[in-house]
Amino acid sequence: MKLFSLTYNELVKQFKKPSIKLLSILILVAAIIFPIAINSIPENRYYKSTMESNKFLLQDAELYLESLKDDKTQKGKIKFEYAMINIEARKLYVENEVGHRDWREKEIENYRNVSSNLAAIEFVLEGYEKDIVLENLQNDDSNEVEKYFNMTLAKKKEIESNFIAEKEKIKNIILNNDYIAHTQEEINRTNSQIAQLNSCISEYEKLMKKNPTDEAGKSKLLELEKKSKDAKIRIPQLQQDMEVMKFRFDNKIDYDLNNWKNNSIQQIENELIELRNPMLDEKQYSSQASLEGVEMTYDEYVKNFNKKREVTINQIKELWYGLENNITVLNQIKDARSVLDGGYEIFVVLAVIMVIIIGGGIVATEYSKGTIRLLLIRPVSRWKILLSKLLAVLIVGIGVVFIGIATLYISTGVVFGFETYKTPLLDTISGSIVHLSYIKFLLSKIMISCSSLVFIATLVFLISTVAKNTALAVAISMMLYLGAVPATDMLISLKQTWIISTFIPYINVSYLRLIPSTQQMLSQSFGMQLEYTQGAIQLILISIVMLLITFITFIRRDVKN
């Protein structure tokens, strides 16, 4: 009962401080405003800058065209035609407001390429000199264009007619914003690529049966063998891409960045690209590691590569499962779950800062003011006095975390809808996809993040008690908390990946999650993952050791005048 009374009195004393009151109010206000601010951010935040860039490029293209008007040579006319094609493409960007990550961007580039193809055949039809045409081609295969010169007029006209029809078809897709037609065209283009690759394989197999003995035949066979091997690797990849495109087409899924199904499909496409990165053999890895100064054995590389591959495969499975069962995967759209998941760490950071402010002076101030003697003459054990102060610090820190997150939960639900919280999370366990409660998942992440809070609370408490210096306790704790991740990043950039096996990176788990640059660096450069649970366990164990030192020092210390 005395311990409860001491803790209560300590809490009352701390919350009488204006700075603590102000910080508490700011935390609550932040929890209310955060989802409103996030909701006001446009999904395509680069739209405005992209529009300005397109207008600038159009003006630049028009100025270039003006400079070519007086050149009436065949070379000048060719350059003029290509400049006109560039302007036409730029006008499509500007007039149709095609921004960043817009599917129409791809169609405009297709339109530009077909326009260049059309221009090439028209140069031939207009009787331009062969050498001049071939020397000044843009975006065209000179070998293909060279063939035009030997074709009949009827064949040339046929090719021209096909390019005109293709150009008009693409333009209509862009102007009508016909995303379904775009997806169908993507499917057709992929089918065409697969057909070409199969043709290459067939050509190789036919020539292999003939078993040519002349040098030209052998050389051709070796060339086709290499192309055939590449084709056999590429075809399954294109078939995977086709499966994704067909799902989009069959389900009429648009390319809106606010559509979670579109975002899931795009992530599947990105994960498939990641999955296709081949594992290096020992010789290749040794060469690359030597060049980049990587301090990691080949066995470690293989282990990390396979682990990363497994994560990627599971991610693809979960995304497909979500699409097929109409379950939104976390962070695929701006909803209550995703906003809460992306913002709760802010309140852990604010709680840690409050803990440093309170913990830095909670014991040291008693010594500096001389009130420690009044505390110790009470009929209460020293350990209870110290424990009450520690509990006050932890209650404030953990209380700020849960009150801040609870307020954020409510405000986010109000802004984005509470029904989102009922959507289960998807996870892969033993090869099977299971449904998880979002709230349970969130609580487990909060507990791991709070390991940082407990560590910093015990650290600042230790310094405040042992050194009896508020400024020192605050400065060291703040420096360690804010500097842990930058120090980790610096060591990783120097290939010192051993650092992630220590507790140091996890001192500020919230920073690691809010700004995932450390994880990205590890993943891209080394195929490694941060072990948050392992880091949390280390922090808790070290915190226990620091508490033992703190209590033993306080209990045995004499209080001198």
Side-chain angles (χ1 to χ4, degrees), residues 43-44 73 85 151 162 311 334 416 434 493 496:
E43 194 64 42
N44 193 342
T73 64
I85 290 170
M151 292 179 181
N162 289 338
V311 170
K334 200 187 293 181
F416 296 97
V434 298
S493 68
Q496 303 301 309

Side-chain angles (χ1 to χ4, degrees), residues 6-8 10-11 14-15 358 362 386-397:
L6 286 168
T7 305
Y8 175 77
E10 195 62 53
L11 286 169
Q14 294 301 326
F15 277 96
I358 293 173
I362 200 165
L386 192 61
L387 182 58
S388 67
K389 291 182 176 293
L390 175 63
L391 288 174
V393 173
L394 292 174
I395 289 169
V396 169

Side-chain angles (χ1 to χ4, degrees), residues 189-203 231 235:
R189 289 165 190 147
T190 305
N191 271 328
S192 178
Q193 289 182 61
I194 292 173
Q196 289 174 6
L197 292 171
N198 277 321
S199 175
C200 178
I201 293 171
S202 297
E203 188 180 353
I235 288 172

Side-chain angles (χ1 to χ4, degrees), residues 284-295:
Q284 289 171 327
Y285 173 73
S286 178
S287 176
Q288 181 174 307
S290 176
L291 185 67
E292 297 179 359
V294 176
E295 297 291 335

